[in-house]
Amino acid sequence: MSKATFAVSMIALGLGCSSAVMANTKVPVVTSFSVLGDLVQQVGGDHVAITNLVKANGDAHVYNPAPMDAKAIASAQLVVMNGLEFEGWMPRLLESSNFKGNKVLAADGIEVIKGHSCSCGGHGHHDDHDHDHDHDHDHDHDHDHDHDHDHDHDHDHDHDHDHDHDHDHKHDHGHAHGEFDPHSWHSIKNVKVYVKNIEQGLTKVDPNNAEDYQRNAANYIQQLDKLDIELHKKVALIPEDKRSVITPHAAFAYMARDYNIDFHAPQGTSTESEASAGDVANIIKQIRSEGIKAVFVENISDNRLIEQISRETDAKIGGQLYSDALSEPTGPAPTYLKMMEYNIDTIVNALK
């Protein structure tokens, strides 16, 4: 073999290796918390390498980002977060990381529920949702989406400013979310929107695998639809007037709306909000007057208040619900599908 032929062969071999390496490179994606980590994995499959910030059983309300989080974001092609001001620490983290990649606000386009700092004695799922606000919210975020969400930090700032006065009279002494309840993943209908937003985000940064993302998303939505039917059948076993549930913080308004379950909580929509003595007294009074049989603890909350309420009433602790985080892989709720099934099963079994 001549030197020229050898050189050409080596160049071709080198190009072939480069192509193979490039073909096997996974898209670096950062997700804000474990539920989104699972959803991105379902859509992205083998094409994504996910760094999830708030781990299993972690509380995103009070999360303090670490230097390694900023490093992960700086090298990511896509950042996926819930939106609706759930991750109050994320705008600063993105700014400090000098992130220039693409962002997905997973909750863009859902039918939102107005947030309540305290749902004591209330029937949150019977409230009339402000559809004008839904429309405006969706429109604003569609606009964000068209512009890669580049100004979402400013939007969050304006949003906070506009609605600060909404919380002046509430019992919320810690971090408060904005006008809308951010715990929107507790609705399968909403998560189908999440999945489509994630599919679009992955397709934008990795168009070569668009067909795989589309197929994975479609398959996963079929699984969601199947589970939704099963969960409605399970809830239907409990008479409507017996579907009252007490949880530590108000994280289940979307589940309440979809499955016609009455959720009450001494704390507001953030685990940092503090329940007043009056809030707790109202919950205890309600349990006694309605004959509520079970209260529930959460995987991310300080459950001492619920334990106190249980001691002072005839309500038993009906189990642990997974609210703002999945369980560890060996736990009962390591994926979104398993979390939804486990939560409904736990509620139904306790209320039977």
Side-chain angles (χ1 to χ4, degrees):
M1 181 184 296
S2 70
K3 289 183 179 180
T5 305
F6 178 77
V8 169
S9 299
M10 292 305 294
I11 290 170
L13 182 62
L15 289 173
C17 290
S18 297
S19 299
V21 169
M22 289 175 67
N24 292 326
T25 299
K26 297 188 176 187
V27 178
V29 182
V30 169
T31 54
S32 59
F33 74 117
S34 55
V35 170
L36 293 182
D38 178 56
L39 297 181
V40 172
Q41 189 64 67
Q42 300 302 326
V43 179
D46 294 334
H47 301 306
V48 296
I50 299 168
T51 301
N52 181 64
L53 301 185
V54 185
K55 309 301 183 189
N57 294 315
D59 186 355
H61 295 284
V62 296
Y63 185 68
N64 288 314
M68 61 190 301
D69 296 338
K71 185 176 179 182
I73 285 178
S75 60
Q77 286 183 252
L78 185 68
V79 169
V80 181
M81 47 193 161
N82 187 73
L84 299 177
E85 301 181 42
F86 178 62
E87 306 96 337
W89 39 269
M90 186 60 99
R92 291 186 300 277
L93 181 59
L94 291 170
E95 187 176 6
S96 65
S97 306
N98 197 29
F99 179 68
K100 302 297 184 187
N102 288 277
K103 288 177 282 184
V104 168
L105 296 183
D108 270 5
I110 66 155
E111 183 183 345
V112 292
I113 292 175
K114 278 198 167 187
H116 300 281
S117 184
C118 181
S119 62
C120 311
H123 299 267
H125 65 288
H126 296 304
D127 291 345
D128 291 326
H129 311 310
D130 191 332
H131 292 285
D132 289 334
H133 274 288
D134 292 348
H135 176 77
D136 292 341
H137 177 75
D138 293 348
H139 175 77
D140 289 344
H141 280 301
D142 286 344
H143 183 68
D144 287 348
H145 198 71
D146 291 340
H147 289 79
D148 300 338
H149 308 301
D150 285 340
H151 61 286
D152 109 46
H153 178 75
D154 293 335
H155 174 75
D156 287 347
H157 176 77
D158 292 340
H159 200 74
D160 287 340
H161 177 75
D162 288 343
H163 301 293
D164 280 346
H165 65 278
D166 287 352
H167 298 280
D168 288 345
H169 65 287
K170 306 286 180 68
H171 300 296
D172 191 354
H173 307 296
H175 168 72
H177 294 303
E179 183 183 359
F180 302 107
D181 186 331
H183 303 89
S184 44
W185 55 88
H186 288 295
S187 162
I188 287 178
K189 179 172 66 174
N190 286 346
V191 165
K192 288 162 66 175
V193 177
Y194 279 39
V195 168
K196 293 301 291 182
N197 288 336
I198 290 167
E199 178 207 327
Q200 290 168 11
L202 288 172
T203 296
K204 186 166 188 177
V205 298
D206 183 25
N208 289 338
N209 290 307
E211 288 186 8
D212 285 352
Y213 299 139
Q214 186 176 10
R215 181 172 58 252
N216 291 345
N219 289 340
Y220 189 66
I221 286 172
Q222 284 186 342
Q223 294 179 59
L224 290 169
D225 284 335
K226 181 181 177 182
L227 178 63
D228 197 27
I229 292 169
E230 292 173 359
L231 297 186
H232 273 97
K233 288 179 180 176
K234 290 177 179 181
V235 174
L237 299 174
I238 307 298
E240 285 192 27
D241 62 348
K242 301 297 183 186
R243 297 180 195 168
S244 287
V245 173
I246 310 292
T247 59
H249 89 293
F252 293 97
Y254 292 91
M255 182 179 284
R257 179 191 69 190
D258 287 6
Y259 298 100
N260 197 23
I261 302 171
D262 214 354
F263 283 83
H264 311 275
Q267 287 179 292
T269 54
S270 171
T271 54
E272 282 192 294
S273 60
E274 297 176 10
S276 70
D279 295 335
V280 177
N282 285 339
I283 288 285
I284 290 173
K285 181 179 178 182
Q286 186 173 5
I287 290 172
R288 289 171 176 164
S289 66
E290 295 185 15
I292 294 173
K293 299 299 182 186
V295 295
F296 296 85
V297 296
E298 293 177 35
N299 66 320
I300 64 151
S301 293
D302 181 342
N303 294 304
R304 287 175 293 182
L305 192 58
I306 288 294
E307 290 162 0
Q308 174 195 337
I309 290 169
S310 176
R311 285 194 301 269
E312 296 186 23
T313 65
D314 292 330
K316 306 300 181 187
I317 294 179
Q320 176 176 263
L321 301 180
Y322 288 82
S323 54
D324 296 4
L326 302 178
S327 72
E328 68 282 0
T330 56
T335 67
Y336 175 76
L337 292 174
K338 291 190 180 204
M339 179 189 78
M340 289 296 291
E341 183 175 26
Y342 178 83
N343 282 344
I344 290 292
D345 283 349
T346 301
I347 291 168
V348 168
N349 289 336
L351 297 182
K352 274 182 181 175

